[in-house]
Amino acid sequence: MGIRVAVAGASGYAGGELLRLIAGHPEFDLVAATAHSQAGQPVTAVHPQLAGLDLVFGATDRATLADADLVFLALPHGQSAALAATLPETVRVVDLGADHRLTDADAWTRYYGGPHAGAWTYGLPELPGQRAAIAAATRVASTGCYAVATTLALAPLIAAGAVFPADVVVVAASGASGAGRAAKAHLLGSEVMGDLSPYKVGAHQHVPEIKQATGATSLSFTPVLAPMPRGILATVTAVPTGDADPRDVLAQAYADAPFVHVLPEGSWPHTAATAGANSCHLQAAVDVDSGRVIVVSAIDNLGKGAAGQAVQNANLMLGLPETTGLPVFGVAP
């Protein structure tokens, strides 16, 4: 018997990606996958890519989940806290939702609304000190997808004093899977194809998370819906404090990070190059006109932005090498 794991909210895109990664993980045994409206249905009825996985969706409740060694919560924002509170303290939990990411209750109320459930250990292993913190935790709040793409590009530069923490500007394009699986008119194929559209301009919920994780003090963030199933390409700009080479700063920060790759000079990130992987690709330059530092970051929003990140955190919590069962390389074409 391996480590018993369960997934709550397994019928969504992130939940499906979790099931795929868990099924191929050498140390995990998938013992339960839950859903709401799909409870009682075979997993393959919702996720045909998992043909051969003989499992039926169960109800999302304590009885279904409490026997696992570790539970992944892939639920809509605001729904994780109540379920997590019912699970035994002996069960480790990784939350892919936002419920436990923010330390500032006022920021939670401003961007999400409702009562603040309290902060858990933040699940981004590449931040200084976080690997050890995650390894010691029984409850971990995994990152938001835009947040990880931006944080990996920005945090080392602020920490090194290479850029000012104020006047950070981010424009990030995401594939449609980032909006979840629920049917919405603006996410229909005929609406998305051949179109780029901004949304939640000036008020996206990942802003306080990015500021908390990076040390940025002011941030202008514009998300863009792109006509692709998965992937995030984030362009992050900031004002330099001096002449430090931003690429060198990033390369030094991630020299020992197995999933973060600072690309060779002249090579720029592509979302397709990270598809199916738990990797982040970075490149940096200084704008010859404005002098601003520019960092471009690419991830798979369902990989490093969601399910892959969650498994990386779970590996650390369970004393496994963080790379166990996770693809470093993307799928192409």
Side-chain angles (χ1 to χ4, degrees):
M1 290 292 291
I3 298 167
R4 295 166 56 85
V5 300
V7 180
S11 60
Y13 289 131
E17 188 73 349
L18 271 171
L19 296 180
R20 182 180 76 87
L21 294 173
I22 292 167
H25 196 288
E27 302 294 337
F28 288 174
D29 282 341
L30 179 63
V31 296
T34 81
H36 290 288
S37 61
Q38 301 290 344
Q41 296 294 314
V43 165
T44 51
V46 176
H47 299 300
Q49 75 275 20
L50 302 177
L53 184 62
D54 186 17
L55 193 66
V56 172
F57 288 118
T60 304
D61 55 27
R62 184 187 189 281
T64 307
L65 301 168
D67 286 338
D69 299 311
L70 183 140
V71 174
F72 295 99
L73 302 179
L75 301 170
H77 300 317
Q79 295 185 18
S80 297
L83 179 60
T86 70
L87 298 176
E89 293 184 4
T90 54
V91 177
R92 292 176 172 84
V93 181
V94 179
D95 185 10
L96 281 73
D99 293 33
H100 302 283
R101 293 174 189 159
L102 300 182
T103 58
D104 185 340
D106 291 338
W108 171 267
T109 301
R110 181 181 180 188
Y111 283 89
Y112 291 95
H116 182 232
W120 289 355
T121 299
Y122 189 60
L124 184 52
E126 289 81 10
L127 290 177
Q130 284 306 106
R131 279 187 178 85
I134 293 165
T138 58
R139 299 288 189 272
V140 168
S142 217
T143 59
C145 54
Y146 283 125
V148 65
T150 302
T151 298
L152 291 174
L154 179 63
L157 298 175
I158 292 178
V163 299
F164 289 103
D167 191 22
V168 176
V169 178
V170 181
V171 178
S174 175
S177 61
R181 195 163 195 158
K184 300 173 185 176
H186 73 283
L187 297 177
L188 293 172
S190 56
E191 301 291 334
V192 174
M193 288 187 295
D195 187 40
L196 289 168
S197 58
Y199 64 100
K200 293 186 179 179
V201 177
H204 194 275
Q205 66 271 17
H206 287 178
V207 167
E209 181 184 348
I210 293 168
K211 292 172 70 177
Q212 175 182 293
T214 63
T217 57
S218 65
L219 176 71
S220 173
F221 179 64
T222 304
V224 177
L225 178 63
M228 56 188 186
R230 59 203 293 168
I232 287 178
L233 189 75
T235 301
V236 182
T237 76
V239 179
T241 59
D243 297 327
D245 184 330
R247 187 178 176 281
D248 286 348
V249 173
L250 293 172
Q252 291 176 27
Y254 298 124
D256 298 320
F259 295 115
V260 183
H261 308 286
V262 180
L263 301 182
E265 291 273 11
S267 180
W268 288 91
H270 297 255
T271 55
T274 64
N278 191 50
S279 292
C280 175
H281 292 182
L282 298 172
Q283 186 59 276
V286 176
D287 191 292
V288 296
D289 183 68
S290 69
R292 291 179 71 94
V293 169
I294 303 170
V295 184
V296 177
S297 170
I299 64 168
D300 183 337
N301 62 293
L302 296 178
K304 187 63 173 162
Q309 180 89 292
V311 171
Q312 185 180 353
N313 287 325
N315 284 338
L316 289 167
M317 295 168 74
L318 295 164
L320 302 172
E322 66 186 285
T323 56
T324 307
L326 288 170
V328 175
F329 303 119
V331 177

